[in-house]
Amino acid sequence: MLKAHQSFLLILLTIIATKSYAISSCIPNTPCQCYLTQYSLKLLNCSYALSDLLIPDLKIPQNITRIIATNALIRWPSQLCKYANIQILDLSGSYFNFQFIDLSCLTHLIHLNLSNTQLHEIPHFKNDVSNHLQILDLSNNHLKTIDGIYFQSLNNLISLFLQNNPIESIVHLEVLFNLANIESINLISSNLDLTLKQPLTLNQWSDIVRTWNNTSKSFSIRMKNIPLQTIIPAADKFQTISIDTMKIILKTLINSTFMTMYNTPKCDCSNLRTYQRMFSFVDHQRKYSSSLFQSTTCLMSDRITHARLFDRRTYIDLRCPLLGRMSFFPLLASSSTSSHYALVPFVVFCLFLLWIEKKF
Ligand SMILES: *[C@@H]1O[C@H](CO)[C@@H](O)[C@H](O)[C@H]1NC(C)=O
Ligand SMILES: *[C@@H]1O[C@H](CO)[C@@H](O)[C@H](O)[C@H]1NC(C)=O
Ligand SMILES: *[C@@H]1O[C@H](CO)[C@@H](O)[C@H](O)[C@H]1NC(C)=O
Ligand SMILES: *[C@@H]1O[C@H](CO)[C@@H](O)[C@H](O)[C@H]1NC(C)=O
Ligand SMILES: *[C@@H]1O[C@H](CO)[C@@H](O)[C@H](O)[C@H]1NC(C)=O
Ligand SMILES: *[C@@H]1O[C@H](CO)[C@@H](O)[C@H](O)[C@H]1NC(C)=O
């Protein structure tokens, strides 16, 4: 590893090297400062003075693989396709509004940042061309509908940033889950009233589980106001799918966050038991400190308290009746793995009831 003074020297050298290529005020009649190297173009301080990206002094646009022009453009640059080899494109902070954005000419794109560009529509990625894209930032825009179909061709996508959009509905969420290499999705909407159109079917879940059934799969999704309970198969469907499937689903979602405020589902004794039983089967060392365990809640009967869905204390606090004594035993059996012993008095109580029943 580099020592502090070494890395400082490296930064200094980089600055000097960059400066030696600098052309000041490269675009006439604009405040833009250009930093041009053999492979990259960086525009600073443009202050929305550009309506396009054609740089007069630049003779070899094909050699440019990296363009960074933040807060620079007032519309989508029509000359962008001249830079056919761009791999990194950061146009964050520009004004693109309702314009149709077609990225099909940029076939080498790996990293695209269109954060904070007033976008109202998801850009178009053509099927066979955009599949090098790994990082896509569309956060801080005006997107209202997120349709997974728009991202279907992005097989290599690793990170998708969609946070701080006023998202009202999410469609085809299964397409996002099925992307082969996806590792993180941020869907935290700035809108409180959010709906998941077409909940995922059991068939869609079995497709997803095929993709997720890989011990090296890394994944996390962040969501607000769409409860986990409406995304994963419903508790009453658990008997029609294998325990193995549910284990894979919960294990893959272990680092995910599902925050809810106004639309937290009610805590229900029979569902709760099924969810907790499935969670107890998940084979993960730190599952009780995971974001899935910490963030997923249901609403207690006082309609105020958000209780943790996978926490056995919720079952006790809810004073669930002892119906289906036999099917309750798997939960008891797994309680030895629990890190807290809040269940102990409850077990004693169960045994007491059994004793009473035998006696009379
Ligand atoms: C950009 O403008 C600010 C002031 O508006 C100035 O302090 C800064 O040095 C400028 N940056 C460049 C690279 O010219
Ligand atoms: C641009 O790339 C070509 C090959 O693609 C190369 O021959 C040429 O030297 C490059 N020009 C500059 C200025 O780097
Ligand atoms: C995109 O650009 C914004 C603003 O310049 C920045 O805050 C954000 O970190 C960038 N996103 C990525 C994924 O690099
Ligand atoms: C499992 O995931 C790793 C890392 O993402 C990948 O390299 C590997 O090909 C996957 N294996 C299967 C069988 O899909
Ligand atoms: C969750 O995070 C832990 C620690 O950061 C990591 O070891 C694990 O592989 C992650 N699991 C998934 C499914 O992403
Ligand atoms: C996951 O993969 C293993 C073999 O790699 C297989 O035995 C198992 O049935 C798969 N589970 C599911 C739910 O597809």
Side-chain angles (χ1 to χ4, degrees), residues 138-157:
L138 299 175
S139 62
N140 299 290
N141 280 304
H142 303 307
L143 306 174
K144 286 188 175 161
T145 303
I146 303 299
D147 188 343
I149 296 289
Y150 281 82
F151 306 96
Q152 197 162 28
S153 63
L154 306 177
N155 305 323
N156 287 300
L157 199 62

Side-chain angles (χ1 to χ4, degrees), residues 90 92 111 113 115 135 137 161:
D90 181 351
S92 59
H111 182 146
N113 194 339
S115 173
I135 299 168
D137 192 340
F161 299 92

Side-chain angles (χ1 to χ4, degrees), residues 134-293:
Q134 294 179 355
I135 299 168
L136 175 58
D137 192 340
L138 299 175
S139 62
N140 299 290
N141 280 304
H142 303 307
L143 306 174
K144 286 188 175 161
T145 303
I146 303 299
D147 188 343
I149 296 289
Y150 281 82
F151 306 96
Q152 197 162 28
S153 63
L154 306 177
N155 305 323
N156 287 300
L157 199 62
I158 295 172
S159 298
L160 177 60
F161 299 92
L162 289 165
Q163 69 273 22
N164 292 326
N165 278 290
I167 306 170
E168 286 168 5
S169 69
I170 298 177
V171 196
H172 297 297
L173 182 63
E174 74 282 357
V175 176
L176 297 182
F177 283 173
N178 262 322
L179 290 171
N181 291 296
I182 197 80
E183 288 182 5
S184 75
I185 304 174
N186 192 333
L187 272 168
I188 296 198
S189 170
S190 56
N191 189 3
L192 291 178
D193 194 13
L194 191 58
T195 51
L196 176 66
K197 294 273 165 74
Q198 320 143 335
L200 280 67
T201 65
L202 291 184
N203 280 340
Q204 286 167 342
W205 270 115
S206 31
D207 282 349
I208 294 165
V209 164
R210 236 169 278 142
T211 319
W212 284 2
N213 189 5
N214 180 340
T215 45
S216 36
K217 173 80 180 167
S218 169
F219 182 78
S220 80
I221 184 164
R222 291 169 62 79
M223 275 199 175
K224 198 161 107 186
N225 288 328
I226 295 190
L228 174 78
Q229 294 93 312
T230 64
I231 298 173
I232 61 172
D236 59 7
K237 301 263 167 51
F238 281 9
Q239 63 262 63
T240 58
I241 47 180
S242 69
I243 290 179
D244 213 23
T245 299
M246 280 315 297
K247 272 164 73 177
I248 293 167
I249 293 174
L250 294 178
K251 194 184 171 194
T252 310
L253 292 175
I254 203 83
N255 293 334
S256 297
T257 306
F258 298 89
M259 289 178 274
T260 50
M261 293 166 79
Y262 304 112
N263 52 358
T264 311
K266 274 204 205 152
C267 302
D268 168 278
C269 286
S270 63
N271 287 351
L272 204 63
R273 191 172 50 212
T274 320
Y275 284 125
Q276 297 192 350
R277 187 163 164 256
M278 286 300 160
F279 193 76
S280 73
F281 290 143
V282 174
D283 165 32
H284 195 282
Q285 277 189 338
R286 284 190 292 273
K287 62 180 171 183
Y288 294 107
S289 58
S290 67
S291 19
L292 186 70
F293 181 84

